[in-house]
């Protein structure tokens, strides 16, 4: 999905959501929406606040948090959490995923350095899994599946290997 199409789709979803909820469209909310659409994957409320500061937009931090939650409800953003870290946000799969892959993706989290990277959806029968869960979970209707894989990133694997070699050399 092109950047202009993402913005048009998100703006339409947001407008419909605001009308349905009988809420006012404020310049602050619109600035937060636009800022969120320009963010790379996995951004925090503080990242949005910094972008608003750079643009000279007036806002309150409460409005940032509230609007991000509303954008999740409107299916424009998806909230992601990894272990006990604070929530991060990314574009919802409805908008084609985040700005880098623009595809459905899953997360790879390094347990050593904390780096979060992504992998495109693997060739797993995720739709089959989703259907199976719905059939076997007493009326539960899954909306989406998100896979998070924890392990070591390539950099941490190399560093661990170097430490291991260095440790063995010092023992000799």
């Amino acid at each position: 999905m092109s950047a202009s199409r993402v913005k048009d789709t998100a703006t339409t979803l947001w407008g419909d959501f605001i009308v349905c909820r009988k809420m006012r469209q404020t310049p602050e909310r619109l600035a937060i929406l636009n800022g969120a659409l320009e963010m790379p994957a996995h951004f925090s409320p503080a990242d949005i606040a910094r972008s608003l500061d750079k643009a000279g937009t007036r806002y309150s931090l409460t409005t940032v948090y509230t609007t991000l939650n509303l954008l999740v409800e409107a299916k424009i953003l998806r909230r992601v959490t990894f272990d006990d870290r604070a929530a991060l946000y990314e574009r919802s799969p409805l908008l084609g995923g985040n700005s880098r892959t623009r595809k459905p993706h899953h997360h790879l989290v390094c347990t050593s350095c904390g780096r979060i990277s992504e992998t495109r959806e693997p060739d797993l029968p995720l739709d089959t899994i989703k259907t199976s869960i719905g059939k076997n979970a007493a009326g539960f209707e899954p909306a989406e599946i998100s896979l998070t894989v924890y392990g070591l990133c390539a950099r941490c694997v190399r560093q661990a290997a170097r430490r291991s070699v260095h440790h063995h050399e010092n023992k000799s």
Side-chain angles (χ1 to χ4, degrees):
M1 192 179 290
S2 70
S4 65
R5 192 158 164 219
V6 165
K7 185 172 182 171
D8 290 345
T9 302
T11 302
T12 300
L13 286 170
W14 181 242
D16 292 347
F17 181 81
I18 291 290
V19 167
C20 185
R21 292 288 183 97
K22 298 182 176 146
M23 299 170 71
R24 285 186 325 113
Q25 176 62 284
T26 65
E28 294 83 4
R29 287 178 178 157
L30 200 52
I32 293 165
L33 167 65
N34 289 327
L37 294 175
E38 293 172 8
M39 284 286 150
H42 315 126
F43 61 90
S44 70
D47 295 328
I48 291 288
R50 278 190 291 277
S51 97
L52 294 173
D53 284 338
K54 282 183 186 175
T57 304
R58 294 180 56 160
Y59 67 95
S60 75
L61 208 47
T62 300
T63 301
V64 171
Y65 279 93
T66 302
T67 303
L68 288 174
N69 287 331
L70 291 171
L71 290 168
V72 169
E73 283 183 53
K75 307 284 190 247
I76 294 167
L77 296 180
R78 178 166 75 162
R79 183 182 301 107
V80 290
T81 55
F82 306 103
D83 289 338
D84 58 354
R85 298 179 192 188
L88 299 174
Y89 298 85
E90 65 182 4
R91 285 188 196 154
S92 79
L94 187 64
L95 296 177
N98 72 49
S99 58
R100 189 175 60 78
T101 62
R102 297 196 194 285
K103 300 275 185 195
H105 63 278
H106 300 289
H107 298 100
L108 308 173
V109 179
C110 181
T111 55
S112 179
C113 70
R115 180 176 174 208
I116 301 166
S117 56
E118 297 173 350
T119 183
R120 289 185 183 211
E121 190 167 287
D123 291 331
L124 295 173
L126 295 180
D127 285 334
T128 304
I129 293 169
K130 195 185 310 182
T131 302
S132 177
I133 288 171
K135 286 179 183 173
N136 295 320
F140 182 80
E141 293 185 31
E144 69 179 82
I145 294 176
S146 176
L147 179 65
T148 302
V149 179
Y150 294 89
L152 295 177
C153 68
R155 184 177 60 203
C156 288
V157 167
R158 285 190 304 273
Q159 287 175 347
R162 281 194 297 269
R163 281 192 302 268
S164 177
V165 167
H166 183 70
H167 178 71
H168 290 300
E169 287 173 355
N170 287 342
K171 281 187 138 183
S172 303

